[in-house]
Amino acid sequence: MTFLSSTLTPDSVNKVHDAIICLAKFSESVYIEAHRHELILSTINTSKSAHASFVLNGGRFFTRYRYSPGISRGRPATDADERPFACRIYNKALLSVFKGRISDPKEKDTAVEKCEIALEDRPDKAECRLVIRMICMHGVVKTYKLTYEPAEAMHALFDDNAVVNRWQIQSRLLREFIDYFGPKTEQLDMYKENGRVTFTSYTEKITDGKEILKQPLQTSVAIDTLEFEDFSVEERLHIAISVKDFKAIVMHADTISTSVSARYSLPSRPLQITYEGDGMLCKYTLMTIGDYRASSTTPAPALSADGRLLTRDGSRMASVPVGAHSASSMPPPQRPASHKYASESFTQRTPRPSPPPPKASLDPESLFVPQDEDAEWDDYQRVDQSEDVLGWDASGDHHGVAMHFSNDERGTNESSQNPPNDSSTMRIAPTQRLSEVRGLFD
Amino acid sequence: MTSSDNSSAPSFYAISSSARQLFLLLRCISFAPKAQVQITKEGIRLSAEDSRVMQGLAFLDKSLFSTYNYIPPRKSSHQATNDAGDDLESDDDELDLPPFQISLPALLETLQIFGFSETKDRWSSRDSPYAGGMNGAFPRAGSAAAFDTRVLGMTGVCRLSYSGIGEPLCIILEESGVTTTCKLVTYSPEAPEEIPLRRDRLAQKIIMRSSWLHDAINELSSTSPTRLTITASPTAPYFMLSSSGPLGSATVEFSKDPKLLETFQVNRRSVNTYKYSLIRATTKAMAIASKVSIRCDEQGVLSLQFMIEVEGGGVSFVDFRFVPFLPEEADEEAPDDEGGEESEEYDEDE
């Protein structure tokens, strides 16, 4: 029997509310995972490209927290019993329970004094419910019994060792920036050059024949790196995430006004945003994509530089294991995935006057492939080898290699679709420069 | 209009300086398309009903009007020619005007024809579940715009008149020199049967602040329920509202704290189930009322009586009555519209 019992202060109730509002922006259900000393609320979006989790510390966030894992489920104790209890709840149900209670001064008389969350999962009881009791002034008690679905919680794996880029900034500043990002923009590009960081929210133009499906839109906000509390990011590295996710994160971070830190390695690798406050650790793992200008219609002079980025762009479809393909088939520059993607995008996107290119393009130096281009190739080999194949793991083992979201049930499925080739043996050394290859799918 | 001898004089004539008050009270029973109107010496009684299991009653006391002139048809007077008097036989010398029906949305639309624009915007923005009990019903001098007609003392005048069976209800609204005359068609009444509440055999009587009931009913909406169960008991839990839906169940319990339940008279435990959407239809009244009296007789007929403080310090009452689901069915997920049978069943008992 699994048993959970905890008590929250009204303040914490509001924080839970803020958290589930944030989670609701990612997905319509919430995973609740109870550990011995913490309760985790998490969610993963439907495309499995963003994972958000809130770790509520048992001692600090709750006034009382007790959890005893199931030990007698009619079978001898196994490792499984040591696993945390996890379930999935429809977020709307939670939202209506935790809806803003203290915000309305008129409702002072019915303000919540404390909130108790209890859960009993017993095999002998058919009705399993998450019980939330709001104890209000004058002895009004509101009890909610919510249905839940047993589920394995998902964890995002993030390789801390791979992190080479990191920044940290006050949430208040980010909150000011997101106001400028157009509501219809989709991607957010981050780029650093000459001591300034440019956040560009953009939508690429997509046409289907003559019909314009999406109008291009781009907004850039540039800030000095001095505004950051900590800044260490590779120069001129473009990395993009979803604007919507970023906004959701910043909005929430602003509610606890703390400093937000982001850590990442390379485009198409996960990026992690974390912040902490009042016994709550908020962690978001987002899939990133490469430089967007590469595949769009940048003016010709930027060609070679873009060519370089284009290959990275091949792995733009984050869940496609590009590495596996490239090794066995062709000379590296003509990796099928990138080829296909690029040609698609070139036929679909009509040329447009490029938005005023950020500083990068103005710098003539950047138009050319750096001298140490071979190092770039090395880089790709490294990317290829450190398997880009999706791996799934519900064990919660955070030391797993590299990236991706994990889940046992999906694991077999995904990896059988994309069998990881033995890339190291099949590899052919790159022989051709990208800039030369470019003509093939222009 | 001073002389009642004038044969063309309406048998009912009233002037109110605030159409808004009337509007607020009538809006409480706006759950039905038509309302039955009964004009009496004391005031106007408007009632609405839904499927014979819910009734709402708003009483516009004559104190709400600056002039209230009602000449009941006399059986044996010189006004016997009046249509109203002809087909009614009574021992009383005075007869009440026979009731008539009127389109409630049309009446409400008429009363706000000049638009309480500023106030209305305020309502709509505050019409959230947590709008609380204060909006609209009380004067809010601080929040009124500088050129609000109410501030300038230019509040419109509303005249109501009705001359008898078959005649329209005539409403004349004047505001800032603009006059609107509306004639609302009256319909013949339906069987004016009240849902009977046995006052002498009450199982419970609870008086509490209306906003708390409002809050509780809103709380329960989270489960998108079809039914609401009201439990009252002399022991804990004293007063409990509960509901369940596909996402789970919700319960709101009230303790016996006199601060919370001003009056708590419960002799024995009673559990009754009502249709949630019907109870929910009273939220407009809950939102503007200051107090509510929740009564329930032994057969489970529920009466919600809302006390609404109107501008000027007066008090008006809006009443609702509900027929419960039959107890045997209370546990089943039966379709929602068995209300008709129940009221029949109930009538037999009576």
Side-chain angles (χ1 to χ4, degrees):
Chain A
M1 158 188 137
T2 303
F3 176 77
L4 166 75
S5 161
S6 60
T7 310
L8 289 164
T9 60
D11 216 21
S12 304
V13 169
N14 272 359
K15 289 196 179 107
V16 170
H17 183 237
D18 290 338
I20 55 181
I21 283 181
C22 179
L23 290 175
K25 290 175 184 166
F26 289 90
S27 162
E28 62 179 20
S29 55
V30 177
Y31 292 92
I32 297 181
E33 200 181 331
H35 293 258
R36 269 194 193 280
H37 302 293
E38 60 200 20
L39 189 74
I40 302 176
L41 304 176
S42 65
T43 196
I44 183 166
N45 68 0
T46 43
S47 62
K48 302 210 176 352
S49 62
H51 179 270
S53 75
F54 295 88
V55 181
L56 312 179
N57 185 290
R60 283 195 293 152
F61 192 82
F62 296 91
T63 46
R64 189 175 62 89
Y65 183 85
R66 248 182 71 217
Y67 169 69
S68 56
I71 39 165
S72 57
R73 286 191 190 175
R75 58 194 161 82
T78 60
D79 289 348
D81 291 329
E82 285 305 307
R83 294 172 104 183
F85 172 82
C87 66
R88 190 165 72 167
I89 283 195
Y90 196 47
N91 200 339
K92 262 191 191 162
L94 279 181
L95 276 175
S96 59
V97 173
F98 285 98
K99 67 190 162 206
R101 287 174 185 280
I102 297 178
S103 55
D104 194 340
K106 276 184 213 147
E107 298 297 321
K108 250 182 224 156
D109 290 324
T110 47
V112 175
E113 280 184 333
K114 66 175 178 174
C115 166
E116 293 176 356
I117 301 176
L119 193 145
E120 267 185 67
D121 186 21
R122 300 162 56 157
D124 55 328
K125 258 179 135 179
E127 197 177 72
C128 297
R129 296 281 187 274
L130 178 73
V131 181
I132 300 170
R133 285 160 67 86
M134 296 284 176
I135 294 155
C136 309
M137 303 266 276
H138 305 304
V140 177
V141 181
K142 298 167 182 172
T143 310
Y144 303 87
K145 294 180 178 173
L146 306 180
T147 47
Y148 61 82
E149 171 192 6
E152 289 295 334
M154 302 228 189
H155 291 271
L157 297 189
F158 184 77
D159 185 6
D160 284 321
N161 299 322
V163 169
V164 287
N165 303 299
R166 64 187 79 228
W167 48 257
Q168 188 170 348
I169 192 168
Q170 278 296 320
S171 60
R172 183 178 45 80
L173 288 168
L174 287 179
R175 177 71 186 78
E176 286 168 19
F177 303 153
I178 63 168
D179 289 339
Y180 300 106
F181 300 153
K184 284 186 179 169
T185 52
E186 290 166 343
Q187 307 295 336
L188 176 70
D189 178 72
M190 287 178 279
Y191 175 73
K192 180 226 171 186
E193 190 176 39
N194 298 336
R196 290 186 77 74
V197 183
T198 310
F199 288 90
T200 306
S201 74
Y202 65 95
T203 308
E204 288 173 337
K205 185 173 185 175
I206 296 177
T207 54
D208 180 16
K210 280 184 183 170
E211 194 185 356
I212 297 169
L213 298 178
K214 269 180 193 161
Q215 290 289 359
L217 184 67
Q218 176 172 335
T219 319
S220 295
V221 180
I223 37 164
D224 203 282
T225 52
L226 294 175
E227 300 268 4
F228 289 80
E229 292 169 357
D230 173 28
F231 196 87
S232 147
V233 168
E234 187 188 324
E235 193 89 351
R236 289 180 208 151
L237 173 71
H238 282 280
I239 190 157
I241 55 175
S242 152
V243 176
K244 196 170 138 271
D245 294 347
F246 188 72
K247 278 187 174 175
I249 294 165
V250 172
M251 293 298 275
H252 180 262
D254 197 43
T255 62
I256 51 176
S257 52
T258 174
S259 67
V260 177
S261 66
R263 300 177 308 142
Y264 53 100
S265 52
L266 290 169
S268 81
R269 297 311 200 87
L271 171 147
Q272 195 164 66
I273 294 180
T274 50
Y275 51 87
E276 197 172 0
D278 309 320
M280 177 159 66
L281 171 67
C282 315
K283 197 185 276 184
Y284 307 85
T285 312
L286 310 171
M287 199 39 122
T288 62
I289 57 176
D291 175 74
Y292 73 99
R293 282 178 205 88
S295 61
S296 71
T297 55
T298 325
L303 188 96
S304 49
D306 282 340
R308 174 178 74 107
L309 293 157
L310 182 68
T311 42
R312 265 189 199 159
D313 207 39
S315 46
R316 172 184 287 247
M317 276 129 21
S319 57
V320 177
V322 284
H325 294 280
S326 66
S328 53
S329 51
M330 302 274 283
Q334 287 179 305
R335 295 193 298 186
S338 64
H339 187 166
K340 182 166 169 262
Y341 184 79
S343 52
E344 250 172 35
S345 57
F346 274 97
T347 49
Q348 284 183 1
R349 294 195 186 106
T350 52
R352 61 180 160 97
S354 175
K359 287 168 194 156
S361 310
L362 297 176
D363 180 1
E365 290 302 314
S366 71
L367 301 182
F368 301 99
V369 182
Q371 284 304 303
D372 57 347
E373 200 194 35
D374 286 342
E376 287 295 328
W377 295 117
D378 291 340
D379 186 41
Y380 287 121
Q381 286 177 5
R382 190 172 65 77
V383 172
D384 294 343
Q385 283 159 2
S386 55
E387 88 292 355
D388 258 326
V389 182
L390 285 175
W392 302 93
D393 175 20
S395 65
D397 173 18
H398 290 251
H399 307 295
V401 198
M403 40 188 308
H404 347 289
F405 306 107
S406 61
N407 181 325
D408 273 340
E409 297 138 38
R410 313 213 175 224
T412 48
N413 185 18
E414 291 282 341
S415 40
S416 60
Q417 270 178 6
N418 306 301
N421 294 3
D422 188 359
S423 50
S424 54
T425 55
M426 303 285 286
R427 181 166 303 283
I428 302 167
T431 55
Q432 201 174 6
R433 297 201 170 219
L434 259 178
S435 47
E436 300 163 44
V437 174
R438 172 102 174 179
L440 288 179
F441 43 83
D442 247 348
Chain B
M1 304 296 163
T2 50
S3 167
S4 60
D5 295 335
N6 188 344
S7 60
S8 67
S11 42
F12 165 70
Y13 177 69
I15 301 175
S16 165
S17 58
S18 169
R20 192 159 156 270
Q21 284 182 5
L22 307 182
F23 174 77
L24 282 172
L25 288 173
L26 295 183
R27 203 170 61 133
C28 296
I29 57 164
S30 63
F31 58 88
K34 288 211 180 116
Q36 184 133 322
V37 183
Q38 172 78 61
I39 298 169
T40 66
K41 266 193 282 188
E42 282 74 39
I44 315 170
R45 196 171 167 280
L46 287 102
S47 57
E49 65 129 48
D50 187 352
S51 318
R52 306 257 165 153
V53 290
M54 174 186 187
Q55 272 180 357
L57 192 153
F59 187 72
L60 306 178
D61 193 90
K62 69 180 192 184
S63 64
L64 286 170
F65 300 90
S66 50
T67 304
Y68 189 89
N69 204 340
Y70 170 61
I71 305 120
R74 283 170 194 281
K75 188 183 162 195
S76 55
S77 71
H78 60 280
Q79 283 194 352
T81 48
N82 195 330
D83 315 13
D86 286 346
D87 43 357
L88 280 176
E89 292 301 324
S90 166
D91 294 337
D92 288 352
D93 197 28
E94 287 184 3
L95 297 168
D96 274 344
L97 266 177
F100 58 91
Q101 281 204 336
I102 195 164
S103 160
L104 200 46
L107 177 61
L108 290 172
E109 196 58 40
T110 305
L111 289 174
Q112 56 154 353
I113 203 152
F114 286 116
F116 308 114
S117 52
E118 315 89 39
T119 42
K120 195 160 185 253
D121 286 346
R122 256 177 262 143
W123 293 338
S124 53
S125 64
R126 281 157 192 272
D127 220 352
S128 66
Y130 282 87
M134 317 294 276
N135 52 355
F138 304 106
R140 297 153 61 93
S143 59
F147 293 98
D148 191 327
T149 48
R150 280 176 296 150
V151 175
L152 296 173
M154 293 178 4
T155 48
V157 173
C158 167
R159 299 162 201 267
L160 302 175
S161 63
Y162 177 67
S163 22
I165 290 179
E167 297 294 319
L169 178 72
C170 185
I171 301 174
I172 301 168
L173 289 137
E174 278 175 47
E175 191 174 291
S176 327
V178 183
T179 306
T180 309
T181 307
C182 301
K183 287 186 175 170
L184 298 177
V185 174
T186 54
Y187 303 85
S188 53
E190 279 181 10
E193 227 173 87
E194 255 192 35
I195 296 175
L197 176 76
R198 291 195 162 184
R199 283 164 209 273
D200 52 334
R201 292 173 72 185
L202 285 184
Q204 67 176 66
K205 181 177 180 184
I206 293 166
I207 296 180
M208 64 193 288
R209 266 181 49 185
S210 172
S211 60
W212 287 337
L213 182 66
H214 190 210
D215 177 56
I217 297 290
N218 277 321
E219 250 358 293
L220 301 183
S221 70
S222 62
T223 55
S224 45
T226 54
R227 289 165 181 231
L228 169 76
T229 302
I230 299 181
T231 308
S233 158
T235 56
Y238 300 101
F239 182 54
M240 192 165 85
L241 304 171
S242 53
S243 67
S244 65
L247 297 178
S249 67
T251 305
V252 180
E253 285 168 33
F254 293 89
S255 76
K256 222 166 86 174
D257 189 338
K259 276 185 202 152
L260 187 71
L261 304 181
E262 204 171 283
T263 305
F264 184 82
Q265 296 168 7
V266 176
N267 304 322
R268 58 184 182 82
R269 186 180 150 85
S270 68
V271 182
N272 290 299
T273 303
Y274 305 91
K275 190 170 170 183
Y276 180 80
S277 60
L278 295 181
I279 308 266
R280 174 97 187 159
T282 66
T283 45
K284 276 181 189 139
M286 285 182 200
I288 63 167
S290 52
K291 283 183 189 173
V292 59
S293 158
I294 305 162
R295 288 177 299 174
C296 184
D297 71 10
E298 284 177 351
Q299 282 175 307
V301 172
L302 174 73
S303 153
L304 296 179
Q305 193 172 41
F306 294 96
M307 186 173 93
I308 297 171
E309 292 174 24
V310 291
E311 290 166 42
V315 170
S316 287
F317 291 93
V318 176
D319 252 306
F320 294 94
R321 287 194 189 168
F322 303 89
V323 174
F325 283 110
L326 286 178
E328 302 90 75
E329 293 178 350
D331 295 336
E332 297 168 13
E333 278 301 319
D336 297 320
D337 50 0
E338 66 270 68
E341 313 162 15
E342 276 172 32
S343 66
E344 276 167 31
E345 173 105 12
Y346 192 82
D347 291 340
E348 283 164 26
D349 291 349
E350 287 294 301

